[in-house]
């Protein structure tokens, strides 16, 4: 298993100011992978750090590892029975749902931990989530958020620099813009965004090559822009499925890194499919 954490006693010596200090410190080691999700190449998509462990660390230690990584998400997972318990941490704290880190964790499990698996079942704060390998795609079975239409207010325009055509609220705020160009060129005021409702703010518009384009911002979680947000598409995709009157959409997140999601509706759920690329595997010490 990737969590092989032998405890080592190391002796550190420091000589200075005529002092001789010897300190014994217990050091743990753990494997950690960084996976670029919703892309087939590194330096694109959304990077997630993934730690698959034999046993849980304390929340304090997991939070420290997350802050040290300084990625939008670090995923921690432990196998419990025939399922994997999965938790997601942002630099601003634990979050209830994350798509790209779920994809990244499924990639690590099916590549390095249990390569015979074609489906990984996760228990999470958002219930049971399933990820299935279909060719070179990973299909994520996620809940669809129920959107409530809200008034477009001046504060939204002040934050975004453009006035949304429509706005909706679920866990996050979703703002629909007039054009793809507005989405791509957006330079929102992150400080003012902290005053808007919702955990994250997503902007979206009809796409020229993909069915829709979007960007996602999470300053409340110390993540200015999330490169490709899976949970955000649990807001974005239901809107476009209903608006376009279709059952499938190809969604492109138009961040600097960029990423593609192939999405469809299944009952009250959303299936989001994407690829993954391994950026690194390393041993961390704590």
């Amino acid at each position: 298993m990737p969590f092989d954490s032998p405890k080592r006693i190391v002796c550190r010596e420091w000589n200075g100011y005529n002092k001789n200090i010897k300190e014994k410190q217990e050091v743990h080691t753990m494997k950690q992978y960084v996976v670029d999700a919703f892309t087939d190449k590194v330096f694109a998509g959304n990077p997630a750090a993934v730690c698959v462990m034999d046993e849980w660390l304390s929340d304090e230690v997991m939070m420290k590892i997350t802050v040290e990584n300084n990625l939008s998400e670090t995923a921690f997972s432990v196998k419990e029975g025939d399922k994997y318990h999965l938790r997601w941490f942002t630099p601003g704290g634990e979050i209830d749902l994350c798509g790209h880190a779920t994809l990244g964790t499924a990639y690590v499990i099916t590549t390095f931990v249990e390569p015979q698996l074609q489906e990984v079942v996760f228990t999470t704060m958002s219930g049971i989530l399933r990820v299935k390998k279909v060719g070179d795609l990973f299909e994520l079975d996620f809940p669809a958020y129920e959107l409530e239409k809200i008034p477009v207010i001046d504060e939204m325009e002040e934050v975004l620099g453009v006035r949304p055509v429509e706005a909706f609220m679920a866990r996050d705020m979703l703002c629909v813009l007039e054009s793809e160009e507005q989405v791509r060129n957006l330079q929102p005021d992150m400080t003012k965004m902290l005053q808007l409702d919702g955990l994250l703010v997503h902007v979206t518009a009809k796409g020229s090559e993909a069915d829709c384009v979007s960007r996602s911002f999470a300053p409340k979680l110390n993540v200015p822009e999330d490169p490709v947000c899976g949970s955000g598409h649990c807001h974005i995709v239901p809107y476009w499925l209903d608006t376009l009157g279709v059952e499938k959409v190809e969604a492109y997140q138009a961040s600097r890194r960029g990423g593609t999601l192939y999405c469809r509706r299944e009952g009250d759920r959303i299936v989001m499919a994407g690829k993954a690329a391994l950026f690194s595997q390393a041993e961390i010490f704590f």
Side-chain angles (χ1 to χ4, degrees), residues 2 17 41 50 84 159 209-210 214 226 231 234 262:
Y17 300 103
K41 59 186 178 181
V50 177
Y84 282 85
V159 168
E209 297 183 6
S214 62
D226 197 20
S231 62
C234 294
Y262 307 94

Side-chain angles (χ1 to χ4, degrees), residues 3-8 27-30 283:
F3 182 66
D4 45 4
S5 173
K7 296 179 180 178
R8 304 187 307 167
V27 176
H28 298 260
T29 65
M30 182 171 65
E283 191 172 38

Side-chain angles (χ1 to χ4, degrees), residues 140-162:
L140 287 68
D141 175 19
F142 267 43
Y145 283 105
E146 186 173 341
L147 300 175
E148 177 186 355
K149 191 167 186 177
I150 59 174
V152 173
I153 58 176
D154 292 342
E155 286 81 355
M156 297 176 187
E157 185 174 0
E158 291 174 8
V159 168
L160 300 176
V162 296

